[in-house]
Amino acid sequence: MTIGIPASHPVQILRRAVESYTPYLQPSGELHDPVFGEPTQYGTPYHALCNSVLALSSRGTERSIYAERALCGLDAALRHVEDPELQPNASGFSRDTGAVSRLNHRDFFWPPILKTYIVLRSLQAPALEGIAERIAGVGIEQAFRSRPPSNWAAVWLSAEWLRVREGLSPYTIADIDHWLGEFFKTRILLHQGFYQEPGHPNSYDLFTRYHLADMLMEGYDGAHRNALEHLMRTGLERSLAVQLSDGSLASAHRSSGQTWNLGAQCAYFTHAANFFREREPDLSKQAASAARLTLASFARWQRLNGPYSPVENLLPPASRVGYETYTGDAHYGNLAMAFLAVAVLRGFDQPPAEPGEGVSPCLRIEHDPTYRVIAHHGPYSLQLNAHPAPAYDAFGFTDLTFGPGRLLHFGPSVRCVHTGGLYNLGLAHRSAPGRSQLHVLAHDTYRLLGEIERGDTPSSFRLSARSTGSPYTYETRASLGKDGVRISETTKGLSNYKTLLVPYLRDAGGGVRTRIDIQGRKIELSYGDEQISIEVAAPVEYVLHLPHGYESRRGLCGLLRVDLQEETEGIEYMVRIPESNRRAGFAL
């Protein structure tokens, strides 16, 4: 550990994560995956970038070690990009059999190659001879797979601007302007601060806006500079709104719950804090605080005796819980680390947000194209997704979080391993009393009946919707306050037996599991020192606990089925942190 830098400093958090991959670093400079034992996608260049930033943050022998690792990784990454005929690294992984598929991901190599080179040059690192010439000789048209306005193209475009700026590119700023213009034609909703692609994932909105913000902060001054400055403002407003109270990014579609979202938020908020520092100091401070909140989430996912996790759980890499088919530790864990490295490179030096730090009451309603609403108040954040992507999310309350430093939250949508069905905290109904068959409202397809409306308080909302073919209206109201989250859900005109489903996180890894205490209408969930209580307003007939067979991107899950006694149109319930547990959190 570097003397004088506390363990909670971003540099030390980055250092722990980088060192956790040292056993998998090869003499060739390539980084091998801990499970599959070979290079995967783009881990090698992003690991090299992390080492270059650590070299910049170190002295003496330590600097030499990190610089050597960075240089070896840079060389290996360049070899892979220089020869597009080389077999691509592993990029898809079957959970059933471990079978590997491959796709050209060289687009992603370009930013870490350029940034690593620039950092090493600033350190006057030895053995850089010839690197500039090799970078200048790369043919991006041949090496890279995607073209604007793909989010992949935003990656290589951000680095190609660096190559133009450094005088190493055959292209000009006019070419950069042409490519960049394609994004603004169709994909960027400038006034909403949103980059859209199929499914409208929050992850790739953030990902693309980060790379465009990086161009701006790296000195781009072409035809689209005013548009990028406008996007910095509207995009920051959106990013502040869709950051949950624990620091994570609200779930939606693919790549939710992956730690690169956290690293990208650290980097994006750092860019925004720097951009607005002189222009609007208050907005700059909001961005800097958001980076600290994200860092609190980022730090949670360092496995105690294993590589930094690419997903928001601490289960062993080979379990692949929360992984998507394209996820592996050596690339996505290192992508997360590299985004944090960029934040450090740009001056991010603040500790993580502490448990107990809250969010001011606020609400963001989005209609076309996302149809989502997210509310915040103190330690609580609640998101409702009214137009989910069926393969990734269920309708309804996809996220409910309880502040920084905690592991026990609700969301993203929980999947039944046996059937593939997705579940959220929310309403189901049955035609007969007892443990009869359930109609799970989250499984239906809905259309909104009018707009999502603000409630009577700054952190409340209501909506009405109808599922396909149903004669009944679904209505929900939610309100966040200092005493917790109050929710009502109603099937207007349909009075029958109602059930509250509570899919909960049972095991995020690290040796702790959730304990369930059922006390009539009240259920308490305890995860180590963390506690959450759920209380329904009506008498309960029975609570069935199914502790196995469910997963989410945050770990292994269980399901509680809370059957109400009497026929009714709706259900009301409250979720909160008990007063005695308000400051409990995860020790960094």
Side-chain angles (χ1 to χ4, degrees):
M1 179 181 296
T2 301
I3 296 174
I5 300 181
S8 61
H9 191 283
V11 167
Q12 296 295 20
I13 292 171
L14 176 63
R15 188 185 308 275
R16 286 199 300 273
V18 171
E19 291 295 347
S20 72
Y21 278 90
T22 300
Y24 312 104
L25 193 57
Q26 308 301 305
S28 66
E30 288 187 320
L31 182 69
H32 281 192
D33 187 79
V35 175
F36 296 95
E38 61 176 304
T40 55
Q41 283 187 7
Y42 35 77
T44 295
Y46 282 106
H47 193 73
L49 174 57
C50 291
N51 277 286
S52 72
V53 173
L54 289 177
L56 193 64
S57 305
S58 306
R59 296 290 182 269
T61 302
E62 198 174 58
R63 169 174 284 188
S64 299
I65 291 171
Y66 285 124
E68 177 62 23
R69 290 179 185 173
L71 184 61
C72 288
L74 175 60
D75 176 62
L78 269 171
R79 290 198 303 270
H80 195 64
V81 171
E82 287 170 320
D83 186 359
E85 299 303 316
L86 287 175
Q87 176 179 256
N89 293 339
S91 59
F93 314 92
S94 166
R95 185 171 177 181
D96 294 341
T97 65
V100 166
S101 58
R102 301 176 188 278
L103 195 64
N104 177 12
H105 284 81
R106 291 176 177 87
D107 307 49
F108 293 83
F109 280 58
W110 213 215
I113 284 176
L114 268 295
K115 288 180 182 292
T116 301
Y117 165 70
I118 291 169
V119 172
L120 290 177
R121 186 184 63 189
S122 74
L123 291 171
Q124 298 181 324
L128 270 180
E129 297 84 357
I131 296 294
E133 289 78 8
R134 292 172 66 186
I135 290 173
V138 171
I140 61 174
E141 298 280 354
Q142 295 74 40
F144 301 151
R145 180 173 179 265
S146 296
R147 300 291 178 264
S150 162
N151 76 75
W152 285 28
V155 182
W156 65 252
L157 179 58
S158 70
E160 189 59 21
W161 159 246
L162 291 177
R163 192 166 70 147
V164 169
R165 188 193 71 183
E166 297 296 314
L168 299 175
S169 175
Y171 299 102
T172 67
I173 194 169
D175 297 306
I176 299 292
D177 288 342
H178 170 72
W179 286 321
L180 191 53
E182 295 300 310
F183 289 89
F184 288 100
K185 283 181 182 177
T186 57
R187 294 291 184 89
I188 294 175
L189 305 178
L190 193 57
H191 297 297
Q192 293 175 247
F194 186 66
Y195 167 84
Q196 58 174 345
E197 64 171 49
H200 299 101
N202 282 336
S203 56
Y204 287 96
D205 161 50
L206 168 68
F207 184 77
T208 305
R209 283 193 289 106
Y210 156 75
H211 284 96
L212 299 182
D214 194 70
M215 290 180 66
L216 182 64
M217 299 308 291
E218 290 288 359
Y220 167 79
D221 196 23
H224 302 287
R225 182 176 177 85
N226 287 342
L228 287 182
E229 290 187 350
H230 188 177
L231 182 62
M232 184 68 90
R233 167 178 290 281
T234 58
L236 175 58
E237 291 171 354
R238 183 172 201 276
S239 280
L240 290 170
V242 299
Q243 182 186 35
L244 298 168
S245 65
D246 70 331
S248 63
L249 180 66
S251 64
H253 204 261
R254 63 191 177 102
S255 286
S256 293
Q258 298 203 12
T259 54
W260 68 255
N261 289 316
L262 306 174
Q265 283 185 119
C266 286
Y268 179 79
F269 287 132
T270 299
H271 277 334
N274 291 335
F275 180 79
F276 288 109
R277 181 165 289 116
E278 301 299 329
R279 294 172 172 85
E280 296 183 53
D282 288 344
L283 195 55
S284 176
K285 289 177 182 177
Q286 288 184 54
S289 295
R292 291 185 59 234
L293 184 58
T294 297
L295 186 64
S297 186
F298 185 99
R300 289 179 299 179
W301 310 119
Q302 178 61 63
R303 297 182 179 106
L304 185 61
N305 294 303
Y308 181 78
S309 180
V311 288
E312 292 178 356
N313 67 64
L314 296 168
L315 294 161
S319 71
R320 297 189 61 74
V321 173
Y323 290 45
E324 297 185 60
T325 56
Y326 50 81
T327 314
D329 293 65
H331 52 286
Y332 274 110
N334 284 265
L335 178 60
M337 291 150 45
F339 281 132
L340 177 58
V342 171
V344 169
L345 190 61
R346 296 304 169 216
F348 181 37
D349 61 357
Q350 296 301 304
E354 295 287 341
E357 295 187 31
V359 181
S360 299
C362 57
L363 182 76
R364 183 179 178 95
I365 296 173
E366 295 184 333
H367 290 107
D368 185 50
T370 62
Y371 300 99
R372 300 171 196 147
V373 54
I374 185 166
H376 307 279
H377 192 292
Y380 304 107
S381 291
L382 177 70
Q383 178 183 245
L384 185 145
N385 191 341
H387 188 55
Y392 294 91
D393 309 292
F395 173 87
F397 300 111
T398 51
D399 301 277
L400 174 53
T401 58
F402 302 90
R406 290 175 172 262
L407 291 168
L408 184 58
H409 304 277
F410 294 110
S413 297
V414 169
R415 185 182 301 277
C416 176
V417 175
H418 307 295
T419 67
L422 294 167
Y423 294 84
N424 293 331
L425 176 70
L427 181 63
H429 59 79
R430 58 201 198 280
S431 58
R435 209 160 303 136
S436 54
Q437 187 67 35
L438 290 179
H439 182 104
V440 180
L441 270 65
H443 293 172
D444 292 343
T445 300
Y446 292 85
R447 62 179 178 85
L448 290 175
L449 303 177
E451 295 189 340
I452 303 169
E453 298 179 345
R454 293 180 176 271
D456 298 328
T457 65
S459 302
S460 62
F461 61 88
R462 56 183 175 264
L463 65 82
S464 298
R466 191 185 304 278
S467 63
T468 302
S470 174
Y472 306 107
T473 300
Y474 168 79
E475 296 182 357
T476 188
R477 295 172 180 262
S479 176
L480 284 65
K482 62 181 181 179
D483 57 344
V485 179
R486 297 178 183 273
I487 297 172
S488 70
E489 296 183 83
T490 303
T491 52
K492 200 72 174 177
L494 175 62
S495 182
N496 61 1
Y497 295 94
K498 296 298 193 285
T499 292
L500 175 64
L501 292 176
V502 184
Y504 72 92
L505 178 65
R506 180 173 62 86
D507 184 0
V512 179
R513 294 184 179 180
T514 300
R515 303 186 306 276
I516 305 295
D517 183 17
I518 301 169
Q519 307 169 6
R521 301 180 186 181
K522 185 178 180 181
I523 300 169
E524 288 194 350
L525 292 79
S526 301
Y527 192 91
D529 294 333
E530 302 174 38
Q531 293 179 351
I532 297 170
S533 72
I534 303 171
E535 188 168 1
V536 296
V540 171
E541 177 182 353
Y542 191 82
V543 179
L544 177 66
H545 181 200
L546 301 173
H548 300 286
Y550 300 87
E551 293 181 359
S552 79
R553 294 154 185 165
R554 290 204 176 190
L556 301 173
C557 298
L559 180 70
L560 296 167
R561 170 178 166 157
V562 184
D563 290 337
L564 301 191
Q565 279 185 8
E566 307 295 335
E567 291 182 281
T568 178
E569 282 192 340
I571 186 171
E572 296 183 11
Y573 53 100
M574 183 170 187
V575 188
R576 66 186 183 92
I577 307 167
E579 186 66 33
S580 61
N581 194 239
R582 288 290 171 91
R583 290 193 62 82
F586 180 76
L588 297 172

